[in-house]
Amino acid sequence: MLARDTSLPPPPAEGAIEKPARGNESYIALVWRRLKRSWTGMAGLWLVVLLLLMAVFAEFLAPMDPKATDIAFAPPQLPSFHDKDGNFVARPRVYALADSADLDPVTFQPIVGPDYEHPRLLGFFVEGSPYRLFGLIPADRHFFGSMDGQPVHFLGTDKFGRDVLSRAIHGSRVSLMIALTVVFIITMIGTTVGMVSGYFGGRFDVWVQRFVELVLAFPQLPLYLALTTLIPVTAPTNVFLAFVIIVMSALGWAQMSREVRGKTLALARVDYVRAAMAVGATDRRIIMQHILPNVMSHVIVAVTLAIPTVVLLESFLGFLGFAVKPPLISWGLMLQDTATYSVIGTYPWILSPVGFVLITVFAFNALGDGLRDAVDPY
């Protein structure tokens, strides 16, 4: 009788279902697999990536210099695939506005219309206005624009004749920078205060929460307007921008700390935290090694949902003239041109920055919802 080789695994029992061998997934891999199942979450992720790339490579993606002036309130020039005779052409083109030989029968002014005799061909990686990529590398290539370097206004111009699309692309840099900086400061302060307050508890927690309630009780909008008016108009732009970031951060961290404190109160009573206390682990080690990793999932979701709130707040304050001062460009500052109904009715393309704000809000909200379902599917 042959002896059985004990080094080999025993054969499966008859009728048993053999499970395929598979390595254990990490928490990040599990969250990523769940996120990929949500089409809204993935759409938000790709839009966020595109928005960040647009902000980083604004000079390259903008077809024109955002400070260059041309015809005031020029309408958008839409790409066309037809020539002057209506025949289809493969290369897209735009037709600039020019005065025709016909006169208006009422005003006797030349009728302005497309100049079909001199089309401007469009292309990618065209030569245009010079700039410095990242402030260091000199370049003059733009992602798209006219082949001959002539100005093209895909979204029209503002009251000073500046290209709206180029200014909106450059404005994404300031608007997103303000939002990301404010949310970073809010996250650092709110997470730290919430974890420390919830972990130590007792009288310390009571006094900290009373201070948090005091911050939450402030009427934020009047306080924003009051604090931003403390800086004189002649102050440098960087000082004004830093002050706005500080004010937004000082009034926004309290809600984050409340949420993190609630999570910490529940985690401080679980078995592995009590075991760490029993073996003599320091408070700093318990907070950093046991509590922080477990609240990070909630913090990440809260961050993605807080960014669109700050973007909307910056746009609103910029519209009122309390966020960004020229020569900086932001979406809120661009919306100052829409202060009168006559301008909106006559030149509706001035509202184009609203589209960028809506896309940004949708992108981060969709990503936040997808992450929330992926982190906690139940």
Side-chain angles (χ1 to χ4, degrees):
M1 184 175 180
L2 297 177
R4 181 175 177 271
D5 189 358
T6 57
S7 63
L8 298 176
E14 185 177 356
I17 299 176
E18 185 177 0
K19 295 181 180 181
R22 185 175 182 180
N24 294 329
E25 283 187 314
S26 64
Y27 178 71
I28 297 179
L30 184 62
V31 171
W32 171 246
R33 184 159 61 87
R34 291 171 179 168
L35 179 62
K36 289 192 296 184
R37 297 175 181 173
S38 172
W39 70 270
T40 55
M42 293 302 297
L45 177 61
W46 283 111
L47 285 176
V48 168
V49 172
L50 293 177
L51 286 170
L52 295 178
L53 290 177
M54 181 177 66
V56 173
F57 300 98
E59 295 89 356
F60 171 67
L61 296 175
M64 293 184 58
D65 184 357
K67 300 178 182 178
T69 59
D70 198 8
I71 302 175
F73 289 123
Q77 298 175 344
L78 301 179
S80 175
F81 288 89
H82 297 84
D83 59 10
K84 62 180 181 179
D85 298 325
N87 300 321
F88 178 80
V89 290
R91 176 169 292 182
R93 60 195 62 197
V94 296
Y95 298 98
L97 296 179
D99 295 337
S100 63
D102 300 329
L103 299 179
D104 188 280
V106 177
T107 63
F108 296 100
Q109 297 292 328
I111 298 178
V112 179
D115 185 7
Y116 293 106
E117 299 297 333
H118 302 88
R120 296 176 181 174
L121 301 180
L122 303 178
F124 293 97
F125 304 101
V126 297
E127 185 176 356
S129 58
Y131 60 90
R132 286 187 174 272
L133 189 62
F134 309 124
L136 300 173
I137 306 173
D140 59 358
R141 292 288 172 178
H142 296 262
F143 179 63
F144 62 98
S146 62
M147 301 291 292
D148 55 359
Q150 295 296 320
V152 177
H153 309 293
F154 295 100
L155 293 180
T157 61
D158 60 5
K159 61 182 179 180
F160 296 111
R162 299 170 298 190
D163 186 58
V164 173
L165 177 60
S166 300
R167 290 179 60 81
I169 293 176
H170 280 265
S172 66
R173 176 174 295 176
V174 175
S175 297
L176 291 178
M177 185 272 294
I178 293 176
L180 295 177
T181 304
V182 170
V183 172
F184 174 77
I185 298 174
I186 288 175
T187 303
M188 295 297 294
I189 298 177
T191 303
T192 303
V193 173
M195 286 193 305
V196 173
S197 177
Y199 175 76
F200 287 104
R203 184 169 296 181
F204 175 77
D205 180 46
V206 172
W207 284 105
V208 171
Q209 293 311 306
R210 298 296 80 76
F211 179 71
V212 171
E213 292 173 358
L214 179 64
V215 176
L216 291 175
F218 278 110
Q220 293 193 2
L221 181 58
L223 192 60
Y224 282 131
L225 302 181
L227 292 178
T228 51
T229 54
L230 295 178
I231 294 185
V233 181
T234 57
T237 305
N238 295 334
V239 175
F240 195 92
L241 186 60
F243 185 77
V244 171
I245 292 175
I246 293 173
V247 171
M248 290 184 180
S249 304
L251 298 177
W253 63 270
Q255 184 62 38
M256 176 73 75
S257 69
R258 269 295 180 86
E259 298 174 3
V260 174
R261 173 183 174 269
K263 290 284 185 179
T264 305
L265 288 174
L267 292 171
R269 293 173 174 81
V270 297
D271 294 338
Y272 60 84
V273 174
R274 292 183 177 274
M277 295 178 182
V279 300
T282 62
D283 295 332
R284 180 178 181 275
R285 178 177 177 82
I286 294 175
I287 292 175
M288 299 301 296
Q289 298 294 329
H290 299 288
I291 295 180
L292 179 60
N294 288 279
V295 302
M296 280 304 298
S297 59
H298 177 81
V299 170
I300 292 174
V301 175
V303 165
T304 57
L305 297 178
I307 290 177
T309 303
V310 180
V311 171
L312 288 174
L313 179 60
E314 185 278 329
S315 300
F316 176 69
L317 294 178
F319 173 76
L320 297 178
F322 293 105
V324 176
K325 299 293 183 182
L328 293 181
I329 308 171
S330 73
W331 293 332
L333 184 63
M334 294 179 62
L335 290 176
Q336 286 186 0
D337 295 337
T338 63
T340 58
Y341 290 105
S342 60
V343 173
I344 298 176
T346 309
Y347 315 110
W349 57 86
I350 300 299
L351 290 171
S352 299
V354 175
F356 288 85
V357 175
L358 293 178
I359 292 175
T360 304
V361 172
F362 167 78
F364 282 100
N365 279 332
L367 178 59
D369 290 340
L371 283 176
R372 181 177 55 194
D373 296 337
V375 169
D376 187 11
Y378 307 106

